[in-house]
Amino acid sequence: MKMETTDPRWNDESRTPSSGNVFADLGFDTAEAQVMLMRVKVLAETSQRLKETGWTQAVAAKELGLTQPRVSRLMKGKVEDFSLDMLMTLAGKLGLKPQVSFAG
């Protein structure tokens, strides 16, 4: 049985196109949104590469120079716990070659 609602927001099928940056779409300052998006991308690639190593979190901690709880936060995608600088360093330690490019 389908529930009917009187709230018109439930029936709103309009869509707003994305800018390509979810953080900008959420209203963050343009510069901050760009950094946040870069952090998420580097974290995702780094976490994926870490999973591919097959290391335990204890081994990963030793190899990366982190504590095991910090490795756990990295694997869980806790982007707020890592600066872009730290994520780029970890990516490099895992054999990735992160690059920054600028668009005019």
Side-chain angles (χ1 to χ4, degrees):
M1 173 191 272
K2 184 177 175 185
M3 291 182 55
E4 295 296 325
T5 179
T6 58
D7 188 335
R9 292 176 295 180
W10 287 103
N11 299 318
D12 183 0
E13 294 184 15
S14 64
R15 304 285 186 263
T16 302
S18 172
S19 69
N21 183 331
V22 66
F23 301 106
D25 295 343
L26 290 171
F28 286 92
D29 172 75
T30 303
E32 185 178 9
Q34 290 171 345
V35 172
M36 292 171 78
L37 184 61
M38 280 192 281
R39 283 173 53 203
V40 168
K41 287 180 176 181
V42 176
L43 183 134
E45 290 293 328
T46 301
S47 179
Q48 181 60 40
R49 177 60 64 94
L50 189 54
K51 288 175 187 172
E52 291 169 0
T53 67
W55 294 338
T56 65
Q57 288 186 5
V59 170
K62 184 174 181 178
E63 294 292 325
L64 297 174
L66 300 173
T67 63
Q68 181 277 322
R70 195 137 163 86
V71 171
S72 176
R73 290 193 299 273
L74 176 69
M75 297 301 292
K76 290 180 180 178
K78 301 288 184 177
V79 71
E80 65 274 9
D81 291 345
F82 297 91
S83 67
L84 180 57
D85 183 55
M86 174 56 79
L87 290 167
M88 297 284 272
T89 299
L90 295 173
K93 287 182 176 184
L94 287 165
L96 297 171
K97 297 178 180 170
Q99 297 178 353
V100 177
S101 64
F102 298 91

